[in-house]
Amino acid sequence: MAIKTFAAIDVGSFEMAMKIFEISAKCGMREIDYIRHHLALGSDTYNTKKIGYEKMDELCRILREFQQIMKTYGVTDYRAYGTSAIREAENTLIILDQIRNRTGVEIQVLSNSEQRFLDYKSIASKGEEFRSFIGKGTAIVDIGGGTIQLSLFENDSLVTTQNVKIGVLRLHELLMQMRPKPGQQAAILDEMMDSQLSVFKKMYLKDRIVSNLIVMDDYISGTIKGQLAEGKNGVVSKEVFGAFADSFFVKSREALAETYAVAEENVELMGISARILSHVMEMMNAETIWAPGVTLCDGIAYEYAEKKRINMTRHDFEKDIIACAKNISKRYMGSRKRSEVMEETALTIFDSMKKVHGMSKRERLLLQLAAIMHDCGKFINMTDVGMCSYSIIMHTEMIGLSHREREIVAYVARFIHDDFSYYDEMAAASDMNKETYLIIAKLTAIIRIANGLDKSHKQKFKKFKASLEEERLILTVEGKQDIMYEQAIFRQRSDFFEEVFSIEPVIKQKKMD
């Protein structure tokens, strides 16, 4: 396969960055250039809720410069993504339209979960180093301008991920407003972080042992990897990092800039990022920090390569999404056995209807997630399970799902219990398109049938299979127990399935001896 020259552009809160990669099946990804420009868009967004004209003008100038560099390298494709500074601005649509008209560059705005998933892929691209870390208690600390993302791993599995609004630029703006004396800054930062992180500690850490932190940010990762770490692996001890973090509040800006070979204007932001990481390290009682030295641009390129089937990772990201869903279900007292039966039944029906429903493996995953979390709403209200499940899913971060995908899962979980809402009603409540609506309808029809087969919650079937025969879906179950109740419920649930697919679902029972 020919080598593709690809550009990944990150329009971040603190700076704009572009990496040029050569991507091929034989050699994988090879970075050939890395261009960075300081542009604190987040200062505008977190202060005024809007990106001002001056920053807008500079943004377009830098993008035009990036375009010239791409031409020089013969770039054949690119992706440009905006993060929290653009995402949280009130004038996002106006900004994106101006960029498109003035530069021709199409910028896609990432949701928080999409952004963090790309960051996660950047780290996972390190292969064996990454796998060796997450095999034991590990947390990824992804520090951004507006927020940080804390993701906990245990036994090679993602336990939970939470977003906390204590990003570097956000804290910097608060400090600027307060104007503390130099000796007070560290204590004030700790106080601001305590108010946010104490809840995370109480809910998710408890007796969990976290030995390692993996850090990803735009401020201190390069220094950790290049100057603090012993050897080339980017690993540094708690003691060495603690001394580094403390230095920002006892030395002058000039001395720090010289010591760490950075611009003076970046020193304060580096100090805040170091303080955040130091605070998290103390809270989790971690012993080591690993800075893999990757950025969002690496994740953008890695995802591009995956989609083009050029460079596939060995890490199973879907496994992480499923593990996260199971932990959400567990947190809200969902029935594990009931969810497992729903999963197996719904996925068997989905697989038997590939020629009819026209959906992909991704929609299969969304169906699986809805089956896992379908009854989490019972934790809040036993009589309004559907809407409560919808609300929990929509307000729970799941790395790896876009906002649209999370909305699909939430609606499918809701409509297991509630009457189905048709397109006009759903579109009035959100910016849903018709394609998304049809996916929700199809997945709802399938999962309602699966739910009807185990309505008694007694898991009566020992074996289950589904087969499509002309205009009928034959569902064959094996078991000793009477299924009269399930058959009655099934008939009620089958109407919507017939409406969506024009196929009649039929139960056939084989009695076991």
Side-chain angles (χ1 to χ4, degrees):
M1 181 179 286
I3 296 173
K4 287 184 178 291
T5 308
F6 175 79
I9 299 173
D10 171 17
V11 183
S13 301
F14 168 66
E15 68 177 18
M16 291 180 63
M18 179 174 71
K19 284 189 177 184
I20 308 292
F21 296 89
E22 285 184 347
I23 303 175
S24 68
K26 182 179 180 180
C27 301
M29 283 168 40
R30 186 172 76 89
E31 180 186 320
I32 58 176
D33 205 352
Y34 183 19
I35 305 98
R36 305 167 70 180
H37 280 278
H38 173 71
L39 181 64
L41 294 177
S43 296
D44 278 14
T45 299
Y46 309 138
N47 250 336
T48 67
K49 304 293 184 184
K50 295 180 181 180
I51 294 175
Y53 173 78
E54 289 184 0
K55 294 276 172 57
M56 176 69 222
D57 205 44
E58 180 68 3
L59 191 162
C60 289
R61 186 193 68 76
I62 294 169
L63 284 176
R64 285 192 289 268
E65 183 180 314
F66 282 177
Q67 286 176 307
Q68 290 302 314
I69 295 170
M70 284 193 280
K71 286 180 181 178
T72 301
Y73 280 105
V75 167
T76 55
D77 207 352
Y78 78 93
R79 295 290 183 275
Y81 290 132
T83 57
S84 62
I86 294 181
R87 182 172 64 239
E88 295 184 26
E90 292 177 348
N91 59 341
T92 297
L93 294 178
I94 294 171
I95 293 298
L96 296 178
D97 184 65
Q98 285 195 39
I99 292 170
R100 187 184 305 111
N101 290 333
R102 293 170 64 177
T103 69
V105 176
E106 292 282 348
I107 292 180
Q108 300 176 52
V109 180
L110 296 171
S111 68
N112 180 68
S113 58
E114 290 171 316
Q115 176 188 342
R116 305 306 179 171
F117 193 47
L118 287 176
D119 285 344
Y120 176 27
K121 284 189 172 185
S122 298
I123 300 168
S125 71
K126 288 297 183 178
E128 193 55 46
E129 288 179 276
F130 171 68
R131 285 188 288 276
S132 68
F133 267 87
I134 64 171
K136 46 191 173 182
T138 298
I140 294 178
V141 187
D142 187 353
I143 304 173
T147 64
I148 67 170
Q149 190 83 20
L150 298 173
S151 304
L152 298 178
F153 287 82
E154 205 169 69
N155 299 323
D156 198 27
S157 180
L158 180 64
V159 176
T160 190
T161 181
Q162 296 294 320
N163 189 247
V164 185
K165 284 197 171 184
I166 52 171
V168 174
L169 283 177
R170 199 183 297 274
L171 291 179
H172 182 258
E173 292 304 319
L174 287 172
L175 281 179
M176 293 282 285
Q177 294 170 22
M178 297 169 69
R179 297 182 179 178
K181 295 178 181 177
Q184 298 175 314
Q185 290 181 349
I188 290 174
L189 282 171
D190 287 340
E191 193 172 345
M192 287 191 287
M193 287 186 282
D194 274 334
S195 64
Q196 297 275 347
L197 293 174
S198 60
V199 177
F200 178 88
K201 180 178 181 179
K202 185 176 181 180
M203 290 185 67
Y204 302 106
L205 291 182
K206 297 182 181 178
D207 298 325
R208 181 168 282 116
I209 297 173
V210 179
S211 303
N212 309 307
L213 299 185
I214 302 174
V215 61
M216 183 168 180
D217 81 328
D218 293 325
Y219 313 94
I220 59 171
S221 292
T223 302
I224 294 172
K225 185 175 176 65
Q227 297 185 43
L228 301 183
E230 296 179 6
K232 296 181 179 180
N233 60 2
V235 177
V236 64
S237 68
K238 180 178 183 178
E239 292 74 23
V240 170
F241 182 77
F244 167 72
D246 289 342
S247 71
F248 287 90
F249 300 95
V250 294
K251 295 182 180 179
S252 69
R253 182 188 297 185
E254 293 79 7
L256 289 164
E258 184 177 351
T259 300
Y260 300 120
V262 296
E264 285 188 29
E265 62 187 12
N266 295 345
V267 168
E268 286 185 31
L269 299 178
M270 286 180 66
I272 294 172
S273 188
R275 196 72 186 184
I276 291 172
L277 189 56
S278 178
H279 199 92
V280 172
M281 197 170 199
E282 287 294 331
M283 177 183 73
M284 296 185 179
N285 201 28
E287 293 299 321
T288 59
I289 292 173
W290 175 42
V294 292
T295 70
L296 177 65
C297 290
D298 295 274
I300 295 170
Y302 208 79
E303 183 173 79
Y304 175 82
E306 281 184 311
K307 289 180 177 178
K308 297 294 183 180
R309 300 184 182 278
I310 297 171
N311 181 37
M312 302 300 288
T313 179
R314 287 168 56 191
H315 186 75
D316 189 347
F317 294 106
E318 283 195 1
K319 177 185 171 184
D320 290 326
I321 299 171
I322 292 166
C324 193
K326 288 181 177 179
N327 278 294
I328 292 168
S329 177
K330 183 179 179 181
R331 189 188 316 158
Y332 292 101
M333 311 296 283
S335 168
R336 183 178 61 81
K337 286 186 177 180
R338 167 72 170 152
S339 292
E340 287 175 353
V341 170
M342 281 276 283
E343 272 187 82
E344 183 181 357
T345 308
L347 295 180
T348 300
I349 295 171
F350 183 97
D351 292 341
S352 72
M353 297 179 61
K354 288 179 182 178
K355 294 180 180 179
V356 176
H357 58 56
M359 292 183 285
S360 69
K361 285 178 63 178
R362 191 65 181 181
E363 281 77 44
R364 188 182 190 274
L365 173 64
L366 302 183
L367 176 66
Q368 185 174 4
L369 299 177
I372 292 168
M373 298 184 288
H374 77 280
D375 64 349
C376 59
K378 290 179 180 178
F379 184 84
I380 299 174
N381 191 320
M382 293 286 287
T383 60
D384 194 13
V385 179
M387 185 54 77
C388 291
S389 295
Y390 171 87
S391 185
I392 287 171
I393 294 168
M394 285 301 294
H395 291 88
T396 303
E397 194 79 64
M398 295 184 70
I399 282 187
L401 294 188
S402 66
H403 177 82
R404 170 182 172 271
E405 289 175 327
R406 187 164 56 182
E407 189 175 35
I408 290 171
V409 174
Y411 268 121
V412 173
R414 173 187 165 186
F415 293 141
I416 294 173
H417 309 279
D418 296 351
D419 291 339
F420 187 78
S421 299
Y422 288 88
Y423 178 69
D424 289 344
E425 186 178 344
M426 272 200 262
S430 70
D431 57 353
M432 182 181 298
N433 59 33
K434 292 180 180 179
E435 180 186 359
T436 300
Y437 162 76
L438 288 173
I439 291 171
I440 293 170
K442 291 175 183 179
L443 296 183
T444 298
I446 291 170
I447 206 165
R448 279 186 173 183
I449 293 293
N451 184 50
L453 286 169
D454 188 37
K455 191 61 179 175
S456 66
H457 296 198
K458 293 182 179 179
Q459 293 86 53
K460 294 179 180 180
F461 309 139
K462 301 302 179 185
K463 292 183 180 180
F464 170 77
K465 65 179 183 179
S467 59
L468 200 60
E469 298 180 7
E470 296 182 352
E471 295 182 356
R472 297 200 307 170
L473 178 68
I474 308 300
L475 306 172
T476 306
V477 298
E478 293 186 24
K480 294 180 180 180
Q481 299 183 52
D482 182 80
I483 62 168
M484 187 179 295
Y485 176 55
E486 279 75 16
Q487 287 176 322
I489 295 297
F490 185 82
R491 283 192 290 271
Q492 294 175 11
R493 296 299 180 102
S494 63
D495 289 347
F496 186 68
F497 186 92
E498 292 183 45
E499 179 184 342
V500 172
F501 295 112
S502 298
I503 292 173
E504 178 189 6
V506 178
I507 297 180
K508 288 186 178 181
Q509 184 181 17
K510 285 186 178 181
K511 287 283 188 178
M512 295 179 67
D513 296 331

